Amino acid sequence: MLQHLYVPIEDVEKLERVVQKLGYGSYSTIWLARDESSNEFVAIKICTADPNPHEFDVLSNLSSPQLSGNSPGRSMVPLILDSFQIQGPNGTHTCYVTSPARMSLSDAKDGSYIRLFKLEVARVLAAQLAVAVEYIHTQGLAHGDLHSGNVLIQLPSGFNEMSDEELYKIYGEPESEVVTRFDGEELSPCIPSRAIIPVWLGEASEELQPSDAKIILSDFGEAFSPAKQDKFDPLFEGFLAKEDDMTCEHADALGILPPEWWNKWDARHKKFSEDGKPINRESYRSLEDRFEDSVQQPRRAEKMPPFEPAERDALLSMLRSMLSFRPESRPSAKEVLASEWMVKWALPEYEKAQKS
Ligand SMILES: Nc1ncnc2c1ncn2[C@@H]1O[C@H](COP(=O)(O)OP(=O)(O)OP(=O)(O)O)[C@@H](O)[C@H]1O
């Protein structure tokens, strides 16, 4: 708990023009506020009491006006519009102002019973993600924590025209809950006395339209410079899964590991013949099987068009190359943008959405 020293709500309420809470993470709370000069909504990220938040440094560098101004990827990273500090009982909280967002992709799915996007929207989102990642790579950075909770959707145009009263009428006023201890003891002064529940500005994934599907790639807390630092993560991790089970899943989906790794994996004999055929198993799912039961079948069940075979094959071919076991065999973001699926399906859909 001591590393996660949040700001007391009273200190947030002292900030002028904070109107709602947008979200929270392990290292911050994020608030919707109105910029006094432009009258537009902004997001204020208030970090936990950490004298030197890594993300702030990264985003400050990315926001530098010297960096290529008109690259489309630049509009998809949260540029810092302003920054200040709050002193609280836990120490100094760095606060920075960025564009506000409506929801993350995972929020949009959680807000839906069917958890699917329109095919056009999925293409537009994937194209922008590749553009954004390629942009940050050109700035010498790797994001380090790409997942659907960190891809945010921008607020719809027209949101800024809303008055605070209209905002509260449509989305509700801030609701808070008193913070108590399980053992009934007094809270220490470093724990906020109340917590505000984040507002829901989002909509169900299937309702999102291509023209509204504009992303902001957020959470640069794990970003790093590959030229200065190596970082290794497994392609997939499982919650509570054993390492051998995860390795088996990798080999089922993507084929056997490179020989020098395969030969070191002793448990392979229990699950595979020496030439990599699955043995002693009732179920075994290749990448194509997983795509069929996790993407195509749910789409058909909800009467949403599935991927046509030519597009599916191009998409799987791009994904398979991105999931190569050896990092050096994986395409760069630039090469991903040049893949058949991007060129024939995703990027044209993105261009169409920009014009509409
Ligand atoms: N600009 C923004 N506009 C709207 N909501 C945002 C914005 N930035 C972040 N959020 C929301 O707040 C949540 C937490 O943000 P973020 O992941 O950046 O915080 P964090 O403290 O670095 O968290 P963690 O490292 O635990 O993910 C996000 O999942 C998102 O829902």
Side-chain angles (χ1 to χ4, degrees):
M1 187 72 200
L2 277 180
Q3 318 123 291
H4 297 191
L5 298 171
Y6 291 100
V7 71
I9 182 64
E10 293 75 17
D11 288 333
V12 178
E13 285 166 344
K14 272 187 231 149
L15 295 176
E16 278 180 55
R17 311 297 318 260
V18 166
V19 287
Q20 258 295 5
K21 182 169 179 175
L22 288 170
Y24 63 92
S26 316
Y27 304 99
S28 63
T29 51
I30 294 96
W31 303 85
L32 184 67
R34 182 88 71 168
D35 181 319
E36 299 269 70
S37 48
S38 66
N39 209 33
E40 294 191 349
F41 283 111
V42 290
I44 304 181
K45 185 161 184 167
I46 305 184
C47 300
T48 47
D50 171 354
N52 196 12
H54 174 64
E55 186 187 44
F56 180 64
D57 290 342
V58 172
L59 291 182
S60 301
N61 286 335
L62 279 178
S63 307
S64 154
Q66 283 96 340
L67 297 185
S68 40
N70 51 7
S71 159
R74 187 170 160 88
S75 64
M76 298 171 198
V77 296
L79 302 181
I80 295 189
L81 308 171
D82 194 6
S83 66
F84 55 96
Q85 291 187 329
I86 296 179
Q87 301 297 332
N90 295 316
T92 305
H93 300 266
T94 300
C95 307
Y96 36 101
V97 180
T98 64
S99 307
R102 187 177 194 191
M103 59 184 169
S104 67
L105 299 189
S106 58
D107 292 335
K109 284 175 157 253
D110 291 345
S112 157
Y113 288 109
I114 61 171
R115 304 179 67 80
L116 298 168
F117 289 101
K118 291 185 173 63
L119 213 45
E120 299 78 11
V121 169
R123 293 182 192 124
V124 169
L125 293 172
Q128 288 174 88
L129 185 56
V131 169
V133 169
E134 200 265 336
Y135 172 71
I136 60 169
H137 288 185
T138 58
Q139 306 307 321
L141 277 177
H143 183 276
D145 198 15
L146 284 179
H147 60 74
S148 57
N150 284 338
V151 180
L152 307 181
I153 301 291
Q154 294 180 18
L155 285 168
S157 58
F159 196 87
N160 279 318
E161 271 87 77
M162 226 184 309
S163 66
D164 295 357
E165 291 68 35
E166 285 167 330
L167 179 93
Y168 289 144
K169 205 164 156 203
I170 299 172
Y171 298 103
E173 298 210 11
E175 283 180 46
S176 67
E177 285 194 1
V178 174
V179 177
T180 52
R181 283 176 56 137
F182 281 125
D183 60 10
E185 292 287 310
E186 288 261 307
L187 288 182
S188 94
C190 65
I191 309 292
S193 58
R194 282 184 296 128
I196 307 273
I197 301 160
V199 63
W200 171 246
L201 302 176
E203 64 181 348
S205 50
E206 68 276 16
E207 300 297 333
L208 189 65
Q209 300 301 323
S211 55
D212 287 332
K214 297 187 181 124
I215 71 158
I216 303 177
L217 180 55
S218 92
D219 196 354
F220 283 69
E222 300 289 329
F224 65 102
S225 161
K228 297 186 194 137
Q229 193 190 351
D230 284 333
K231 263 198 187 182
F232 297 98
D233 281 316
L235 281 173
F236 305 111
E237 287 172 294
F239 183 59
L240 295 180
K242 295 197 196 104
E243 271 184 14
D244 280 342
D245 293 332
M246 280 319 292
T247 309
C248 179
E249 290 279 314
H250 278 79
D252 281 357
L254 302 168
I256 61 170
L257 311 176
E260 63 279 24
W261 303 352
W262 183 248
N263 294 333
K264 274 194 199 143
W265 182 38
D266 294 334
R268 71 184 187 279
H269 301 297
K270 293 189 213 142
K271 308 272 189 181
F272 294 92
S273 65
E274 215 26 61
D275 58 357
K277 300 240 161 47
I279 52 170
N280 306 331
R281 259 141 1 106
E282 279 170 16
S283 68
Y284 143 79
R285 289 158 74 234
S286 66
L287 185 63
E288 286 71 16
D289 297 335
R290 287 164 207 252
F291 191 78
E292 181 59 30
D293 36 80
S294 304
V295 179
Q296 301 285 67
Q297 283 180 14
R299 299 192 72 84
R300 284 187 207 108
E302 297 302 331
K303 312 247 175 314
M304 292 179 83
F307 287 81
E308 294 294 332
E311 180 173 6
R312 176 203 59 202
D313 293 349
L315 175 59
L316 282 173
S317 155
M318 181 190 84
L319 291 176
R320 198 174 267 288
S321 70
M322 293 169 72
L323 295 171
S324 298
F325 286 120
R326 295 180 199 276
E328 64 274 19
S329 311
R330 294 177 203 153
S332 64
K334 200 170 177 185
E335 287 164 339
V336 166
L337 281 169
S339 69
E340 186 192 7
W341 184 67
M342 281 288 166
V343 171
K344 283 202 188 154
W345 283 276
L347 289 167
E349 197 81 72
Y350 171 42
E351 277 156 33
K352 193 165 130 198
Q354 281 179 306
K355 286 183 198 138
S356 66

